[in-house]
Amino acid sequence: MKNGYFVISLDFELRWGSYTWDSEHTYDTNIFGARKAIPDMLQVFEAYQIHATWATVGALFAPSKTAIINTNEQYFDDTSAPHMSPFLKECAELGEEESEDPSHYALSLIKKIRATAHQELGLHTFSHFYCLDNKNAEETFERDTRAALAMMDAQNIQPTSFVFPRNQFNPALLDVLKKHGLDVVRGNENHSLYREREGRERKLHRALRLMDSYINISGHHTFASDTCLKDGMINIPSSRFLRPYAKKAPFLESLKLHRIKKAMRHASKHGEVFHLWFHPHNFGRDIEENIKMLQEICEYYEDLQNEFGFESVTMQELAQKVKRKEVTA
């Protein structure tokens, strides 16, 4: 029986993921906590030889405010400002560099990620650009992509994997990504609960998805790797969002982990893919409990690897396998 694949992707964004909705900085505890949690995550990944994709906001690669301002002046003129005005406003208030403003810069953390074996750096747009909310903004999205790639190229990084912010998967933008060498994307689960939507989601959908994290409402969302290739793009849809430790309801933790493990076992037994994702800032509170949760998942992966040959791969690595299989078919 062919082995299955275990994919982990992280939406690495720090303050760039919250500036549009958290003007009062109420979420900053999670953001600063993420900086403490990331080295612990990397230790767990290294201990269990976990391959992970870090889909990173391009602005986090900036070494200074000057670098961001210069990039903005090059790629975002007045005609693109309507889509970029919240981002440009946030940039105007930045500190000068990472030690002064650790919520907006992350080169030291990126260095740690790059120094850890089997970690891939992907892209999460330059500005945390909402790809469905911004209607008819293909030109702005392309500018955003070019800005991010220029910032990453300065650090000798050429990404191939891309994750849409807020999971606003937009097929109309795939050609832009492909043109710039980004031919691996993370799609959403194939179920109405997880269909991409504009704006803030309805409370009902959020409540049902919360329930689905603990009780199997929508299925395992595992899939065969050979279904990922379409029109020259590799779409590796998510299987499960890893919710952080529920401090107010710790009794739910065993249900959540059982749900995840059962899907992992299904994927490993049937030679399918299980794709787990989360944000580093989800671990920004209750760091010790969240790291223990991640470690338990990785320990279970190790068990499945020994039992079924389950294989940990980055998004890019899975894409390469899919492409090779297509060539030899």
Side-chain angles (χ1 to χ4, degrees):
M1 181 180 293
K2 61 181 180 180
N3 61 288
Y5 298 107
F6 181 39
V7 180
I8 291 182
S9 60
L10 302 96
D11 297 12
F12 182 23
E13 51 201 36
L14 296 183
R15 169 69 182 168
W16 297 113
S18 60
Y19 71 93
T20 58
W21 55 266
D22 185 29
S23 59
E24 301 299 321
H25 291 259
T26 58
Y27 198 67
D28 281 2
T29 298
N30 282 73
I31 299 219
F32 290 117
R35 296 190 63 95
K36 297 178 182 179
I38 286 171
D40 293 341
M41 293 180 207
L42 291 171
Q43 285 185 2
V44 173
F45 289 161
E46 190 168 38
Y48 293 93
Q49 299 185 57
I50 297 295
H51 300 218
T53 296
W54 298 72
T56 307
V57 168
L60 290 175
F61 290 89
S64 65
K65 181 176 181 177
T66 299
I68 288 185
I69 297 302
N70 288 344
T71 300
N72 290 346
E73 290 177 352
Q74 180 177 356
Y75 291 99
F76 308 116
D77 56 22
D78 291 340
T79 63
S80 63
H83 300 298
M84 300 299 294
S85 56
F87 173 73
L88 298 175
K89 181 180 178 181
E90 185 77 7
C91 290
E93 300 172 359
L94 293 177
E96 290 303 320
E97 43 83 39
E98 188 174 2
S99 63
E100 181 182 332
D101 188 354
S103 68
H104 288 99
Y105 304 92
L107 274 182
S108 67
L109 292 173
I110 289 167
K111 183 178 179 180
K112 291 180 186 293
I113 294 168
R114 297 182 77 180
T116 304
H118 311 306
Q119 307 303 296
E120 175 197 6
L121 283 164
L123 181 58
H124 199 43
T125 75
F126 181 67
S127 61
H128 206 255
F129 188 85
Y130 296 142
C131 296
L132 287 176
D133 289 355
N134 294 307
K135 295 289 189 182
N136 303 315
E138 286 83 358
E139 181 182 352
T140 307
F141 176 74
E142 173 144 8
R143 290 169 180 256
D144 182 280
T145 302
R146 289 168 55 205
L149 294 177
M151 195 70 77
M152 295 176 78
D153 185 64
Q155 303 298 326
N156 295 313
I157 300 169
Q158 289 78 42
T160 61
S161 299
F162 181 88
V163 171
F164 288 89
R166 213 181 263 179
N167 290 318
Q168 291 191 2
F169 187 95
N170 188 343
L173 301 177
L174 294 180
D175 284 343
V176 173
L177 295 175
K178 188 161 54 174
K179 180 172 72 173
H180 291 286
L182 294 151
D183 62 350
V184 189
V185 295
R186 188 182 77 204
N188 300 333
E189 295 94 318
N190 184 24
H191 191 277
S192 60
L193 281 181
Y194 299 94
R195 187 176 66 248
E196 49 272 9
R197 293 178 173 86
E198 302 169 25
R200 304 296 284 182
E201 294 183 297
R202 292 169 54 190
K203 290 183 179 180
L204 176 60
H205 284 110
R206 296 176 68 181
L208 288 172
R209 282 208 311 274
L210 177 63
M211 290 176 59
D212 193 37
S213 295
Y214 303 101
I215 303 169
N216 190 347
I217 296 173
S218 66
H220 292 314
H221 298 295
T222 60
F223 51 92
S225 60
D226 56 11
T227 63
C228 296
L229 179 61
K230 184 178 180 181
D231 299 329
M233 295 289 291
I234 304 290
N235 180 353
I236 306 173
S238 58
S239 302
R240 178 72 32 214
F241 170 57
L242 178 59
R243 292 188 179 276
Y245 175 77
K247 188 173 185 178
K248 294 182 179 180
F251 59 90
L252 291 174
E253 290 303 294
S254 61
L255 291 175
K256 177 179 67 182
L257 286 170
H258 178 73
R259 175 98 164 90
I260 290 170
K261 289 178 180 180
K262 196 167 183 180
M264 289 173 67
R265 174 165 283 272
H266 179 87
S268 60
K269 285 182 67 176
H270 294 87
E272 295 183 337
V273 181
F274 178 77
H275 187 171
L276 187 70
W277 75 277
F278 58 101
H279 309 83
H281 60 64
N282 296 136
F283 282 28
R285 295 177 187 263
D286 305 310
I287 295 174
E288 183 178 351
E289 291 82 0
N290 281 308
I291 293 298
K292 285 181 179 178
M293 172 183 65
L294 181 64
Q295 184 172 358
E296 184 172 342
I297 291 169
C298 292
E299 285 177 351
Y300 192 66
Y301 155 73
E302 192 173 65
D303 292 341
L304 295 174
Q305 182 187 46
N306 293 331
E307 187 175 356
F308 299 107
F310 207 30
E311 183 178 353
S312 176
V313 291
T314 65
M315 289 174 60
Q316 182 184 50
E317 288 168 341
L318 182 59
Q320 290 170 344
K321 291 176 182 294
V322 171
K323 292 174 184 176
R324 283 198 296 268
K325 186 175 179 180
E326 179 70 14
V327 169
T328 58

